PDB file of all heavy atoms in Angstrom:
ATOM      1  N   VAL I   1     -13.794 -10.654   1.038  1.00 97.00           N
ATOM      2  CA  VAL I   1     -13.552 -11.453  -0.137  1.00 97.00           C
ATOM      3  C   VAL I   1     -13.496 -10.626  -1.449  1.00 97.00           C
ATOM      4  O   VAL I   1     -12.616 -10.895  -2.230  1.00 97.00           O
ATOM      5  CB  VAL I   1     -14.658 -12.668  -0.298  1.00 97.00           C
ATOM      6  CG1 VAL I   1     -14.531 -13.344  -1.549  1.00 97.00           C
ATOM      7  CG2 VAL I   1     -14.678 -13.579   0.875  1.00 97.00           C
ATOM      8  N   ALA I   2     -14.466  -9.768  -1.592  1.00 96.00           N
ATOM      9  CA  ALA I   2     -14.527  -9.060  -2.941  1.00 96.00           C
ATOM     10  C   ALA I   2     -13.394  -8.146  -3.193  1.00 96.00           C
ATOM     11  O   ALA I   2     -13.258  -7.656  -4.326  1.00 96.00           O
ATOM     12  CB  ALA I   2     -15.856  -8.322  -2.973  1.00 96.00           C
ATOM     13  N   ILE I   3     -12.545  -7.790  -2.217  1.00 97.00           N
ATOM     14  CA  ILE I   3     -11.376  -6.989  -2.548  1.00 97.00           C
ATOM     15  C   ILE I   3     -10.499  -7.638  -3.509  1.00 97.00           C
ATOM     16  O   ILE I   3      -9.777  -6.914  -4.176  1.00 97.00           O
ATOM     17  CB  ILE I   3     -10.701  -6.637  -1.156  1.00 97.00           C
ATOM     18  CG1 ILE I   3      -9.773  -5.338  -1.369  1.00 97.00           C
ATOM     19  CG2 ILE I   3      -9.811  -7.810  -0.693  1.00 97.00           C
ATOM     20  CD1 ILE I   3      -9.320  -4.792  -0.058  1.00 97.00           C
ATOM     21  N   GLY I   4     -10.647  -8.992  -3.576  1.00 97.00           N
ATOM     22  CA  GLY I   4      -9.836  -9.669  -4.577  1.00 97.00           C
ATOM     23  C   GLY I   4     -10.133  -9.278  -6.017  1.00 97.00           C
ATOM     24  O   GLY I   4      -9.200  -9.267  -6.883  1.00 97.00           O
ATOM     25  N   ASP I   5     -11.403  -8.810  -6.239  1.00 97.00           N
ATOM     26  CA  ASP I   5     -11.719  -8.411  -7.576  1.00 97.00           C
ATOM     27  C   ASP I   5     -10.994  -7.087  -7.942  1.00 97.00           C
ATOM     28  O   ASP I   5     -10.572  -6.942  -9.010  1.00 97.00           O
ATOM     29  CB  ASP I   5     -13.326  -8.226  -7.670  1.00 97.00           C
ATOM     30  CG  ASP I   5     -14.075  -9.488  -7.424  1.00 97.00           C
ATOM     31  OD1 ASP I   5     -13.494 -10.570  -7.740  1.00 97.00           O
ATOM     32  OD2 ASP I   5     -15.243  -9.430  -7.019  1.00 97.00           O
ATOM     33  N   ASP I   6     -11.002  -6.221  -7.051  1.00 96.00           N
ATOM     34  CA  ASP I   6     -10.269  -4.946  -7.242  1.00 96.00           C
ATOM     35  C   ASP I   6      -8.742  -5.192  -7.477  1.00 96.00           C
ATOM     36  O   ASP I   6      -8.172  -4.540  -8.328  1.00 96.00           O
ATOM     37  CB  ASP I   6     -10.429  -3.992  -6.037  1.00 96.00           C
ATOM     38  CG  ASP I   6     -11.698  -3.022  -6.103  1.00 96.00           C
ATOM     39  OD1 ASP I   6     -12.491  -3.354  -7.084  1.00 96.00           O
ATOM     40  OD2 ASP I   6     -11.766  -2.108  -5.348  1.00 96.00           O
ATOM     41  N   ILE I   7      -8.316  -6.004  -6.676  1.00 97.00           N
ATOM     42  CA  ILE I   7      -6.818  -6.314  -6.749  1.00 97.00           C
ATOM     43  C   ILE I   7      -6.531  -7.020  -8.108  1.00 97.00           C
ATOM     44  O   ILE I   7      -5.542  -6.587  -8.781  1.00 97.00           O
ATOM     45  CB  ILE I   7      -6.399  -7.210  -5.661  1.00 97.00           C
ATOM     46  CG1 ILE I   7      -6.414  -6.458  -4.299  1.00 97.00           C
ATOM     47  CG2 ILE I   7      -4.973  -7.750  -5.843  1.00 97.00           C
ATOM     48  CD1 ILE I   7      -6.186  -7.145  -3.002  1.00 97.00           C
ATOM     49  N   ALA I   8      -7.336  -8.010  -8.513  1.00 97.00           N
ATOM     50  CA  ALA I   8      -7.147  -8.633  -9.790  1.00 97.00           C
ATOM     51  C   ALA I   8      -7.219  -7.757 -10.918  1.00 97.00           C
ATOM     52  O   ALA I   8      -6.417  -7.789 -11.938  1.00 97.00           O
ATOM     53  CB  ALA I   8      -8.117  -9.786  -9.923  1.00 97.00           C
ATOM     54  N   ALA I   9      -8.243  -6.790 -10.880  1.00 96.00           N
ATOM     55  CA  ALA I   9      -8.370  -5.763 -11.944  1.00 96.00           C
ATOM     56  C   ALA I   9      -7.225  -4.888 -12.049  1.00 96.00           C
ATOM     57  O   ALA I   9      -6.713  -4.494 -13.145  1.00 96.00           O
ATOM     58  CB  ALA I   9      -9.583  -4.960 -11.694  1.00 96.00           C
ATOM     59  N   THR I  10      -6.642  -4.493 -10.941  1.00 96.00           N
ATOM     60  CA  THR I  10      -5.455  -3.574 -10.853  1.00 96.00           C
ATOM     61  C   THR I  10      -4.268  -4.269 -11.531  1.00 96.00           C
ATOM     62  O   THR I  10      -3.435  -3.702 -12.129  1.00 96.00           O
ATOM     63  CB  THR I  10      -5.222  -3.129  -9.413  1.00 96.00           C
ATOM     64  OG1 THR I  10      -6.382  -2.457  -8.921  1.00 96.00           O
ATOM     65  CG2 THR I  10      -4.049  -2.180  -9.357  1.00 96.00           C
ATOM     66  N   MET I  11      -4.164  -5.553 -11.204  1.00 97.00           N
ATOM     67  CA  MET I  11      -2.969  -6.398 -11.695  1.00 97.00           C
ATOM     68  C   MET I  11      -3.188  -6.973 -13.076  1.00 97.00           C
ATOM     69  O   MET I  11      -2.314  -7.743 -13.532  1.00 97.00           O
ATOM     70  CB  MET I  11      -2.674  -7.457 -10.666  1.00 97.00           C
ATOM     71  CG  MET I  11      -2.397  -6.933  -9.252  1.00 97.00           C
ATOM     72  SD  MET I  11      -1.911  -8.236  -8.117  1.00 97.00           S
ATOM     73  CE  MET I  11      -0.187  -8.535  -8.653  1.00 97.00           C
ATOM     74  N   ASN I  12      -4.415  -6.864 -13.615  1.00 97.00           N
ATOM     75  CA  ASN I  12      -4.721  -7.496 -14.923  1.00 97.00           C
ATOM     76  C   ASN I  12      -4.643  -9.023 -14.772  1.00 97.00           C
ATOM     77  O   ASN I  12      -4.100  -9.724 -15.715  1.00 97.00           O
ATOM     78  CB  ASN I  12      -3.853  -6.990 -16.079  1.00 97.00           C
ATOM     79  CG  ASN I  12      -4.034  -5.492 -16.347  1.00 97.00           C
ATOM     80  OD1 ASN I  12      -5.183  -5.082 -16.429  1.00 97.00           O
ATOM     81  ND2 ASN I  12      -2.915  -4.769 -16.362  1.00 97.00           N
ATOM     82  N   ALA I  13      -4.987  -9.555 -13.664  1.00 97.00           N
ATOM     83  CA  ALA I  13      -4.958 -11.034 -13.441  1.00 97.00           C
ATOM     84  C   ALA I  13      -6.056 -11.764 -14.102  1.00 97.00           C
ATOM     85  O   ALA I  13      -7.220 -11.307 -14.096  1.00 97.00           O
ATOM     86  CB  ALA I  13      -4.881 -11.298 -11.888  1.00 97.00           C
ATOM     87  N   ALA I  14      -5.734 -12.964 -14.650  1.00 97.00           N
ATOM     88  CA  ALA I  14      -6.826 -13.727 -15.279  1.00 97.00           C
ATOM     89  C   ALA I  14      -7.633 -14.465 -14.225  1.00 97.00           C
ATOM     90  O   ALA I  14      -8.806 -14.720 -14.576  1.00 97.00           O
ATOM     91  CB  ALA I  14      -6.082 -14.839 -16.154  1.00 97.00           C
ATOM     92  N   ALA I  15      -7.194 -14.606 -13.026  1.00 98.00           N
ATOM     93  CA  ALA I  15      -8.011 -15.292 -11.895  1.00 98.00           C
ATOM     94  C   ALA I  15      -7.484 -14.833 -10.622  1.00 98.00           C
ATOM     95  O   ALA I  15      -6.461 -14.247 -10.540  1.00 98.00           O
ATOM     96  CB  ALA I  15      -7.892 -16.766 -12.064  1.00 98.00           C
ATOM     97  N   VAL I  16      -8.297 -14.943  -9.572  1.00 98.00           N
ATOM     98  CA  VAL I  16      -7.875 -14.560  -8.271  1.00 98.00           C
ATOM     99  C   VAL I  16      -8.262 -15.700  -7.203  1.00 98.00           C
ATOM    100  O   VAL I  16      -9.318 -16.173  -7.272  1.00 98.00           O
ATOM    101  CB  VAL I  16      -8.349 -13.184  -7.892  1.00 98.00           C
ATOM    102  CG1 VAL I  16      -9.912 -13.157  -7.766  1.00 98.00           C
ATOM    103  CG2 VAL I  16      -7.763 -12.693  -6.595  1.00 98.00           C
ATOM    104  N   LEU I  17      -7.346 -15.827  -6.270  1.00 98.00           N
ATOM    105  CA  LEU I  17      -7.685 -16.694  -5.089  1.00 98.00           C
ATOM    106  C   LEU I  17      -7.451 -15.896  -3.871  1.00 98.00           C
ATOM    107  O   LEU I  17      -6.379 -15.410  -3.615  1.00 98.00           O
ATOM    108  CB  LEU I  17      -6.744 -17.907  -5.113  1.00 98.00           C
ATOM    109  CG  LEU I  17      -7.068 -18.876  -3.988  1.00 98.00           C
ATOM    110  CD1 LEU I  17      -8.429 -19.530  -4.102  1.00 98.00           C
ATOM    111  CD2 LEU I  17      -6.005 -19.992  -3.861  1.00 98.00           C
ATOM    112  N   VAL I  18      -8.546 -15.739  -3.041  1.00 98.00           N
ATOM    113  CA  VAL I  18      -8.517 -15.028  -1.814  1.00 98.00           C
ATOM    114  C   VAL I  18      -8.443 -15.953  -0.592  1.00 98.00           C
ATOM    115  O   VAL I  18      -9.306 -16.775  -0.427  1.00 98.00           O
ATOM    116  CB  VAL I  18      -9.683 -14.027  -1.677  1.00 98.00           C
ATOM    117  CG1 VAL I  18      -9.696 -13.282  -0.349  1.00 98.00           C
ATOM    118  CG2 VAL I  18      -9.720 -13.135  -2.835  1.00 98.00           C
ATOM    119  N   LEU I  19      -7.301 -15.903   0.127  1.00 98.00           N
ATOM    120  CA  LEU I  19      -7.256 -16.672   1.428  1.00 98.00           C
ATOM    121  C   LEU I  19      -7.717 -15.718   2.471  1.00 98.00           C
ATOM    122  O   LEU I  19      -7.117 -14.603   2.641  1.00 98.00           O
ATOM    123  CB  LEU I  19      -5.788 -17.065   1.679  1.00 98.00           C
ATOM    124  CG  LEU I  19      -5.252 -18.254   0.958  1.00 98.00           C
ATOM    125  CD1 LEU I  19      -5.281 -18.134  -0.552  1.00 98.00           C
ATOM    126  CD2 LEU I  19      -3.793 -18.488   1.289  1.00 98.00           C
ATOM    127  N   ILE I  20      -8.705 -16.100   3.252  1.00 98.00           N
ATOM    128  CA  ILE I  20      -9.308 -15.104   4.215  1.00 98.00           C
ATOM    129  C   ILE I  20      -9.763 -15.791   5.437  1.00 98.00           C
ATOM    130  O   ILE I  20     -10.239 -16.957   5.398  1.00 98.00           O
ATOM    131  CB  ILE I  20     -10.524 -14.415   3.536  1.00 98.00           C
ATOM    132  CG1 ILE I  20     -11.010 -13.240   4.356  1.00 98.00           C
ATOM    133  CG2 ILE I  20     -11.579 -15.416   3.157  1.00 98.00           C
ATOM    134  CD1 ILE I  20     -11.992 -12.258   3.692  1.00 98.00           C
ATOM    135  N   GLY I  21      -9.658 -15.164   6.625  1.00 96.00           N
ATOM    136  CA  GLY I  21     -10.136 -15.582   7.892  1.00 96.00           C
ATOM    137  C   GLY I  21     -11.661 -15.569   7.884  1.00 96.00           C
ATOM    138  O   GLY I  21     -12.273 -14.600   7.668  1.00 96.00           O
ATOM    139  N   GLU I  22     -12.172 -16.755   8.101  1.00 94.00           N
ATOM    140  CA  GLU I  22     -13.588 -16.964   8.057  1.00 94.00           C
ATOM    141  C   GLU I  22     -14.249 -16.518   9.411  1.00 94.00           C
ATOM    142  O   GLU I  22     -13.618 -16.457  10.491  1.00 94.00           O
ATOM    143  CB  GLU I  22     -14.028 -18.393   7.751  1.00 94.00           C
ATOM    144  CG  GLU I  22     -13.592 -18.807   6.343  1.00 94.00           C
ATOM    145  CD  GLU I  22     -14.011 -20.272   6.050  1.00 94.00           C
ATOM    146  OE1 GLU I  22     -13.657 -21.132   6.954  1.00 94.00           O
ATOM    147  OE2 GLU I  22     -14.696 -20.425   5.077  1.00 94.00           O
ATOM    148  N   ARG I  23     -15.581 -16.250   9.368  1.00 88.00           N
ATOM    149  CA  ARG I  23     -16.236 -15.909  10.537  1.00 88.00           C
ATOM    150  C   ARG I  23     -16.137 -17.007  11.639  1.00 88.00           C
ATOM    151  O   ARG I  23     -16.426 -18.201  11.341  1.00 88.00           O
ATOM    152  CB  ARG I  23     -17.783 -15.692  10.285  1.00 88.00           C
ATOM    153  CG  ARG I  23     -18.553 -15.323  11.540  1.00 88.00           C
ATOM    154  CD  ARG I  23     -20.090 -15.132  11.150  1.00 88.00           C
ATOM    155  NE  ARG I  23     -20.248 -13.962  10.306  1.00 88.00           N
ATOM    156  CZ  ARG I  23     -20.597 -13.995   9.005  1.00 88.00           C
ATOM    157  NH1 ARG I  23     -20.699 -15.160   8.372  1.00 88.00           N
ATOM    158  NH2 ARG I  23     -20.803 -12.892   8.286  1.00 88.00           N
ATOM    159  N   PRO I  24     -15.631 -16.653  12.910  1.00 82.00           N
ATOM    160  CA  PRO I  24     -15.292 -17.720  13.824  1.00 82.00           C
ATOM    161  C   PRO I  24     -16.629 -18.373  14.345  1.00 82.00           C
ATOM    162  O   PRO I  24     -17.686 -17.737  14.520  1.00 82.00           O
ATOM    163  CB  PRO I  24     -14.610 -16.992  14.966  1.00 82.00           C
ATOM    164  CG  PRO I  24     -14.328 -15.708  14.454  1.00 82.00           C
ATOM    165  CD  PRO I  24     -15.287 -15.357  13.349  1.00 82.00           C
ATOM    166  N   GLY I  25     -16.502 -19.742  14.522  1.00 76.00           N
ATOM    167  CA  GLY I  25     -17.553 -20.326  15.211  1.00 76.00           C
ATOM    168  C   GLY I  25     -17.141 -20.782  16.603  1.00 76.00           C
ATOM    169  O   GLY I  25     -15.992 -20.462  17.055  1.00 76.00           O
ATOM    170  N   LEU I  26     -17.993 -21.274  17.423  1.00 70.00           N
ATOM    171  CA  LEU I  26     -17.650 -21.515  18.829  1.00 70.00           C
ATOM    172  C   LEU I  26     -16.784 -22.792  19.006  1.00 70.00           C
ATOM    173  O   LEU I  26     -16.460 -23.111  20.083  1.00 70.00           O
ATOM    174  CB  LEU I  26     -18.984 -21.645  19.661  1.00 70.00           C
ATOM    175  CG  LEU I  26     -19.676 -20.422  19.834  1.00 70.00           C
ATOM    176  CD1 LEU I  26     -21.008 -20.591  20.629  1.00 70.00           C
ATOM    177  CD2 LEU I  26     -18.862 -19.362  20.589  1.00 70.00           C
ATOM    178  N   SER I  27     -16.519 -23.465  17.847  1.00 73.00           N
ATOM    179  CA  SER I  27     -15.471 -24.492  17.949  1.00 73.00           C
ATOM    180  C   SER I  27     -14.387 -24.289  16.918  1.00 73.00           C
ATOM    181  O   SER I  27     -13.544 -25.195  16.780  1.00 73.00           O
ATOM    182  CB  SER I  27     -16.149 -25.847  17.692  1.00 73.00           C
ATOM    183  OG  SER I  27     -16.785 -25.933  16.461  1.00 73.00           O
ATOM    184  N   SER I  28     -14.434 -23.214  16.162  1.00 82.00           N
ATOM    185  CA  SER I  28     -13.447 -23.061  15.106  1.00 82.00           C
ATOM    186  C   SER I  28     -13.120 -21.509  14.950  1.00 82.00           C
ATOM    187  O   SER I  28     -13.576 -20.931  13.906  1.00 82.00           O
ATOM    188  CB  SER I  28     -14.004 -23.592  13.773  1.00 82.00           C
ATOM    189  OG  SER I  28     -15.279 -22.983  13.463  1.00 82.00           O
ATOM    190  N   PRO I  29     -12.350 -20.934  15.864  1.00 86.00           N
ATOM    191  CA  PRO I  29     -12.011 -19.559  15.727  1.00 86.00           C
ATOM    192  C   PRO I  29     -10.862 -19.362  14.705  1.00 86.00           C
ATOM    193  O   PRO I  29     -10.432 -18.178  14.505  1.00 86.00           O
ATOM    194  CB  PRO I  29     -11.498 -19.248  17.170  1.00 86.00           C
ATOM    195  CG  PRO I  29     -10.901 -20.549  17.669  1.00 86.00           C
ATOM    196  CD  PRO I  29     -11.932 -21.646  17.084  1.00 86.00           C
ATOM    197  N   ASP I  30     -10.241 -20.411  14.109  1.00 91.00           N
ATOM    198  CA  ASP I  30      -9.110 -20.308  13.305  1.00 91.00           C
ATOM    199  C   ASP I  30      -9.364 -20.859  11.948  1.00 91.00           C
ATOM    200  O   ASP I  30      -8.336 -21.463  11.391  1.00 91.00           O
ATOM    201  CB  ASP I  30      -7.899 -21.051  14.000  1.00 91.00           C
ATOM    202  CG  ASP I  30      -8.134 -22.485  14.155  1.00 91.00           C
ATOM    203  OD1 ASP I  30      -9.247 -22.870  14.261  1.00 91.00           O
ATOM    204  OD2 ASP I  30      -7.123 -23.172  14.258  1.00 91.00           O
ATOM    205  N   SER I  31     -10.506 -20.758  11.352  1.00 94.00           N
ATOM    206  CA  SER I  31     -10.815 -21.357  10.043  1.00 94.00           C
ATOM    207  C   SER I  31     -10.469 -20.366   8.910  1.00 94.00           C
ATOM    208  O   SER I  31     -10.960 -19.239   8.878  1.00 94.00           O
ATOM    209  CB  SER I  31     -12.314 -21.709   9.949  1.00 94.00           C
ATOM    210  OG  SER I  31     -12.614 -22.306   8.779  1.00 94.00           O
ATOM    211  N   LEU I  32      -9.676 -20.965   7.992  1.00 97.00           N
ATOM    212  CA  LEU I  32      -9.275 -20.249   6.808  1.00 97.00           C
ATOM    213  C   LEU I  32     -10.086 -20.601   5.590  1.00 97.00           C
ATOM    214  O   LEU I  32     -10.353 -21.842   5.452  1.00 97.00           O
ATOM    215  CB  LEU I  32      -7.789 -20.415   6.475  1.00 97.00           C
ATOM    216  CG  LEU I  32      -7.112 -19.692   5.384  1.00 97.00           C
ATOM    217  CD1 LEU I  32      -6.874 -18.149   5.855  1.00 97.00           C
ATOM    218  CD2 LEU I  32      -5.768 -20.282   4.987  1.00 97.00           C
ATOM    219  N   GLY I  33     -10.588 -19.704   4.781  1.00 97.00           N
ATOM    220  CA  GLY I  33     -11.334 -19.955   3.614  1.00 97.00           C
ATOM    221  C   GLY I  33     -10.585 -19.576   2.377  1.00 97.00           C
ATOM    222  O   GLY I  33      -9.822 -18.628   2.361  1.00 97.00           O
ATOM    223  N   LEU I  34     -10.905 -20.247   1.270  1.00 98.00           N
ATOM    224  CA  LEU I  34     -10.289 -20.001  -0.027  1.00 98.00           C
ATOM    225  C   LEU I  34     -11.348 -19.634  -1.004  1.00 98.00           C
ATOM    226  O   LEU I  34     -12.318 -20.506  -1.116  1.00 98.00           O
ATOM    227  CB  LEU I  34      -9.458 -21.109  -0.570  1.00 98.00           C
ATOM    228  CG  LEU I  34      -8.090 -21.443  -0.081  1.00 98.00           C
ATOM    229  CD1 LEU I  34      -7.962 -21.688   1.410  1.00 98.00           C
ATOM    230  CD2 LEU I  34      -7.489 -22.608  -0.831  1.00 98.00           C
ATOM    231  N   TYR I  35     -11.344 -18.512  -1.636  1.00 97.00           N
ATOM    232  CA  TYR I  35     -12.405 -18.096  -2.568  1.00 97.00           C
ATOM    233  C   TYR I  35     -11.771 -17.794  -3.902  1.00 97.00           C
ATOM    234  O   TYR I  35     -10.921 -17.006  -4.019  1.00 97.00           O
ATOM    235  CB  TYR I  35     -13.124 -16.806  -2.135  1.00 97.00           C
ATOM    236  CG  TYR I  35     -14.010 -17.064  -0.879  1.00 97.00           C
ATOM    237  CD1 TYR I  35     -13.455 -17.139   0.379  1.00 97.00           C
ATOM    238  CD2 TYR I  35     -15.384 -17.235  -1.049  1.00 97.00           C
ATOM    239  CE1 TYR I  35     -14.211 -17.409   1.533  1.00 97.00           C
ATOM    240  CE2 TYR I  35     -16.179 -17.508   0.080  1.00 97.00           C
ATOM    241  CZ  TYR I  35     -15.623 -17.575   1.400  1.00 97.00           C
ATOM    242  OH  TYR I  35     -16.440 -17.849   2.496  1.00 97.00           O
ATOM    243  N   PHE I  36     -12.261 -18.485  -4.938  1.00 98.00           N
ATOM    244  CA  PHE I  36     -11.672 -18.505  -6.244  1.00 98.00           C
ATOM    245  C   PHE I  36     -12.557 -17.880  -7.261  1.00 98.00           C
ATOM    246  O   PHE I  36     -13.732 -18.169  -7.364  1.00 98.00           O
ATOM    247  CB  PHE I  36     -11.349 -19.963  -6.688  1.00 98.00           C
ATOM    248  CG  PHE I  36     -11.019 -20.093  -8.182  1.00 98.00           C
ATOM    249  CD1 PHE I  36      -9.955 -19.375  -8.752  1.00 98.00           C
ATOM    250  CD2 PHE I  36     -11.800 -20.951  -8.973  1.00 98.00           C
ATOM    251  CE1 PHE I  36      -9.658 -19.533 -10.024  1.00 98.00           C
ATOM    252  CE2 PHE I  36     -11.395 -21.096 -10.354  1.00 98.00           C
ATOM    253  CZ  PHE I  36     -10.305 -20.318 -10.821  1.00 98.00           C
ATOM    254  N   THR I  37     -12.074 -16.989  -8.112  1.00 97.00           N
ATOM    255  CA  THR I  37     -12.879 -16.264  -9.233  1.00 97.00           C
ATOM    256  C   THR I  37     -12.010 -16.306 -10.479  1.00 97.00           C
ATOM    257  O   THR I  37     -10.945 -15.739 -10.440  1.00 97.00           O
ATOM    258  CB  THR I  37     -13.215 -14.907  -8.784  1.00 97.00           C
ATOM    259  OG1 THR I  37     -13.815 -14.857  -7.484  1.00 97.00           O
ATOM    260  CG2 THR I  37     -14.270 -14.398  -9.860  1.00 97.00           C
ATOM    261  N   GLN I  38     -12.646 -16.956 -11.502  1.00 97.00           N
ATOM    262  CA  GLN I  38     -12.011 -16.908 -12.830  1.00 97.00           C
ATOM    263  C   GLN I  38     -12.613 -15.629 -13.487  1.00 97.00           C
ATOM    264  O   GLN I  38     -13.849 -15.274 -13.401  1.00 97.00           O
ATOM    265  CB  GLN I  38     -12.332 -18.128 -13.605  1.00 97.00           C
ATOM    266  CG  GLN I  38     -11.739 -18.294 -14.961  1.00 97.00           C
ATOM    267  CD  GLN I  38     -10.236 -18.474 -14.932  1.00 97.00           C
ATOM    268  OE1 GLN I  38      -9.783 -19.097 -14.046  1.00 97.00           O
ATOM    269  NE2 GLN I  38      -9.573 -17.858 -15.919  1.00 97.00           N
ATOM    270  N   ASN I  39     -11.744 -14.943 -14.300  1.00 96.00           N
ATOM    271  CA  ASN I  39     -12.134 -13.660 -14.980  1.00 96.00           C
ATOM    272  C   ASN I  39     -12.700 -12.684 -13.988  1.00 96.00           C
ATOM    273  O   ASN I  39     -13.937 -12.262 -14.178  1.00 96.00           O
ATOM    274  CB  ASN I  39     -13.138 -13.981 -16.127  1.00 96.00           C
ATOM    275  CG  ASN I  39     -12.556 -14.972 -17.062  1.00 96.00           C
ATOM    276  OD1 ASN I  39     -11.403 -14.873 -17.463  1.00 96.00           O
ATOM    277  ND2 ASN I  39     -13.429 -15.873 -17.560  1.00 96.00           N
ATOM    278  N   PRO I  40     -12.012 -12.315 -12.991  1.00 95.00           N
ATOM    279  CA  PRO I  40     -12.572 -11.472 -11.932  1.00 95.00           C
ATOM    280  C   PRO I  40     -12.679  -9.943 -12.420  1.00 95.00           C
ATOM    281  O   PRO I  40     -12.063  -9.567 -13.394  1.00 95.00           O
ATOM    282  CB  PRO I  40     -11.577 -11.474 -10.786  1.00 95.00           C
ATOM    283  CG  PRO I  40     -10.220 -11.843 -11.490  1.00 95.00           C
ATOM    284  CD  PRO I  40     -10.633 -12.680 -12.673  1.00 95.00           C
ATOM    285  N   GLY I  41     -13.469  -9.283 -11.753  1.00 90.00           N
ATOM    286  CA  GLY I  41     -13.661  -7.835 -12.000  1.00 90.00           C
ATOM    287  C   GLY I  41     -14.592  -7.208 -11.022  1.00 90.00           C
ATOM    288  O   GLY I  41     -15.439  -7.967 -10.443  1.00 90.00           O
ATOM    289  N   PRO I  42     -14.552  -5.855 -10.774  1.00 88.00           N
ATOM    290  CA  PRO I  42     -15.473  -5.255  -9.767  1.00 88.00           C
ATOM    291  C   PRO I  42     -16.888  -5.485 -10.104  1.00 88.00           C
ATOM    292  O   PRO I  42     -17.345  -5.486 -11.253  1.00 88.00           O
ATOM    293  CB  PRO I  42     -15.104  -3.847  -9.904  1.00 88.00           C
ATOM    294  CG  PRO I  42     -13.698  -3.762 -10.444  1.00 88.00           C
ATOM    295  CD  PRO I  42     -13.602  -4.932 -11.304  1.00 88.00           C
ATOM    296  N   GLY I  43     -17.612  -5.680  -9.107  1.00 89.00           N
ATOM    297  CA  GLY I  43     -19.124  -5.728  -9.230  1.00 89.00           C
ATOM    298  C   GLY I  43     -19.615  -7.205  -9.256  1.00 89.00           C
ATOM    299  O   GLY I  43     -20.909  -7.415  -9.446  1.00 89.00           O
ATOM    300  N   LEU I  44     -18.686  -8.209  -9.325  1.00 92.00           N
ATOM    301  CA  LEU I  44     -19.212  -9.570  -9.455  1.00 92.00           C
ATOM    302  C   LEU I  44     -19.979 -10.068  -8.175  1.00 92.00           C
ATOM    303  O   LEU I  44     -19.654  -9.581  -7.042  1.00 92.00           O
ATOM    304  CB  LEU I  44     -18.037 -10.558  -9.701  1.00 92.00           C
ATOM    305  CG  LEU I  44     -17.272 -10.345 -11.042  1.00 92.00           C
ATOM    306  CD1 LEU I  44     -16.184 -11.504 -11.081  1.00 92.00           C
ATOM    307  CD2 LEU I  44     -18.247 -10.560 -12.237  1.00 92.00           C
ATOM    308  N   SER I  45     -20.948 -10.904  -8.370  1.00 91.00           N
ATOM    309  CA  SER I  45     -21.583 -11.438  -7.225  1.00 91.00           C
ATOM    310  C   SER I  45     -20.993 -12.666  -6.777  1.00 91.00           C
ATOM    311  O   SER I  45     -20.078 -13.222  -7.506  1.00 91.00           O
ATOM    312  CB  SER I  45     -23.077 -11.768  -7.652  1.00 91.00           C
ATOM    313  OG  SER I  45     -23.105 -12.954  -8.468  1.00 91.00           O
TER     314      SER I  45
END
């Protein structure tokens, strides 16, 4: 997820949305997650 912060900083983006494959469960091996950060930058929690 946090690689989006590096990418956003490199692109000077005002916000970033990361679409990422989530940790599979035993009934959901194909779950996609969306992680949104406004004013992103390296080192954010």
Side-chain angles (χ1 to χ4, degrees):
V1 172
I3 199 170
D5 296 333
D6 269 12
I7 291 172
T10 302
M11 302 184 77
N12 298 311
V16 63
L17 180 66
V18 179
L19 283 56
I20 190 167
E22 295 182 305
R23 180 181 291 108
L26 290 175
S27 61
S28 56
D30 62 336
S31 179
L32 186 72
L34 280 61
Y35 289 82
F36 169 56
T37 310
Q38 183 70 32
N39 302 322
L44 293 183
S45 74

